[in-house]
Amino acid sequence: MEYSNCEDFAAVVEHLVGRYHRERAHALRQEDHDLLDGGRPTTPLYSRPEPMIVAVGISLGGMILCHYLCEQNTIASQRLTAAVGVSVPYNVFLGTDNLERPLLNYLLNNHLARCLSRSVEDLSPMLSSSDVWDYKKVIKSKTIREFDSRFTAVQFGFPDVNAYYERASLHDKMHDVTVPYLGLSSQDDPFQPKAGVCMLCCVALCMCILSCVMDRAAIGRSACLRTRGAVPDVTRRPCWISGGGSGGQLGGTPPTAGPDRRQEVPTPPSGGHSLMPLTRHSLMPLTRHS
């Protein structure tokens, strides 16, 4: 699957918005009819002129969601109230490298590659005769990188697997997001190591991209950030809060990324937690449209 293609997702969003408007128009007409019949005025069920839609994407589905937020940011800001990405592989290069590390990660990698190869074998009557790829090599793929190199990249017209991964990666595109976005990532996620998690802040657009990096047990216990102590003064300048663990620590500088697509996010100064931006606009991002 080509995870940078968000056309189908965009069509689903448009369908939901259109359905809301149709049902809202019907509800308003019904209320007008009830008033003419002497009924009591009531508040319409669909009182908002636009629907409140929060999109949630998990893992590879989150990649499709984020590509929609990046590539169609103007339309997305009109259609979506907020978005949430859980365990999104932002940097496919780092994710693929991490999956090839021994021992458990590689075993998982090999299992997934075998599953993908079997899915191709199930369609052998259609795929085995194609001269676009080498069918015998495809079904012998031992890693996801090999499978993508021999099949996925070729299927979708990329010159090689690196071009495919470059197009699918999000770490250098998330600055285009204009919808309030919450990212939840585990620091021991084999598909996306901690170094590949995006942490950006765009104060000019009055929105904030948060990446809460925790272990999987912490994500299971709580899906929100918790801080202890007084609320910091964030009305003058953006500040950064380190999330995860039992509390938060203020200070530090925002992580920067160089031109190298594989460059890792700098290690935070204390606590082993990733730094996340916090501004007065991002404290309650879901109230923007209310």
Side-chain angles (χ1 to χ4, degrees), residues 25-277:
H26 175 75
L28 293 177
R29 286 195 301 268
Q30 185 63 41
E31 183 177 73
D32 291 340
H33 182 271
D34 293 341
L35 290 175
L36 291 176
D37 289 343
R40 294 182 178 180
T42 58
T43 302
L45 178 62
Y46 299 87
S47 58
R48 292 178 176 271
E50 296 294 334
M52 295 187 66
I53 301 177
V54 177
V56 180
I58 301 175
S59 189
L60 299 179
M63 291 182 67
I64 298 176
L65 168 61
C66 288
H67 274 286
Y68 170 76
L69 298 177
C70 296
E71 298 172 13
Q72 303 190 30
N73 51 6
T74 301
I75 297 177
S77 63
Q78 299 171 359
R79 300 289 188 260
L80 300 181
T81 305
V84 180
V86 182
S87 300
V88 177
Y90 298 99
N91 190 322
V92 181
F93 292 99
L94 289 180
T96 306
D97 291 344
N98 194 56
L99 278 172
E100 294 174 352
R101 295 176 56 188
L103 175 62
L104 295 180
N105 285 10
Y106 181 80
L107 292 176
L108 173 62
N109 190 348
N110 181 256
H111 170 72
L112 295 174
R114 290 170 57 191
C115 291
L116 291 171
S117 299
R118 282 197 293 268
S119 67
V120 173
E121 287 186 276
D122 292 340
L123 299 174
S124 58
M126 293 183 292
L127 301 179
S128 59
S129 59
S130 175
D131 56 357
V132 178
W133 48 72
D134 190 327
Y135 176 78
K136 293 183 178 179
K137 286 186 177 181
V138 170
I139 62 176
K140 293 181 180 180
S141 300
K142 296 183 178 180
T143 66
I144 293 177
R145 191 194 302 270
E146 286 185 357
F147 182 85
D148 287 339
S149 176
R150 298 169 180 176
F151 183 78
T152 312
V154 178
Q155 180 186 17
F156 292 102
F158 291 95
D160 53 44
V161 69
N162 288 332
Y164 169 49
Y165 286 170
E166 188 78 44
R167 178 71 178 87
S169 291
L170 292 154
H171 64 283
D172 56 351
K173 303 179 180 73
M174 291 297 289
H175 60 272
D176 292 328
V177 176
T178 56
V179 174
Y181 176 82
L182 173 65
L184 296 177
S185 297
S186 169
Q187 62 183 355
D188 57 354
D189 187 344
F191 288 91
Q192 187 61 91
K194 180 181 176 181
V197 177
C198 293
M199 285 157 286
L200 305 172
C201 178
C202 188
V203 181
L205 296 174
C206 300
M207 53 80 67
C208 183
I209 298 176
L210 303 178
S211 290
C212 178
V213 182
M214 302 181 288
D215 56 36
R216 278 172 284 190
I219 289 181
R221 290 193 300 269
S222 174
C224 64
L225 301 178
R226 293 172 296 175
T227 59
R228 293 178 178 176
V231 177
D233 180 10
V234 295
T235 59
R236 297 181 180 179
R237 62 180 178 83
C239 65
W240 295 77
I241 184 169
S242 59
S246 59
Q249 298 183 12
L250 296 175
T253 57
T256 58
D260 186 358
R261 66 192 175 196
R262 294 170 179 260
Q263 182 172 351
E264 296 186 355
V265 177
T267 303
S270 62
H273 303 308
S274 295
L275 295 177
M276 293 169 294

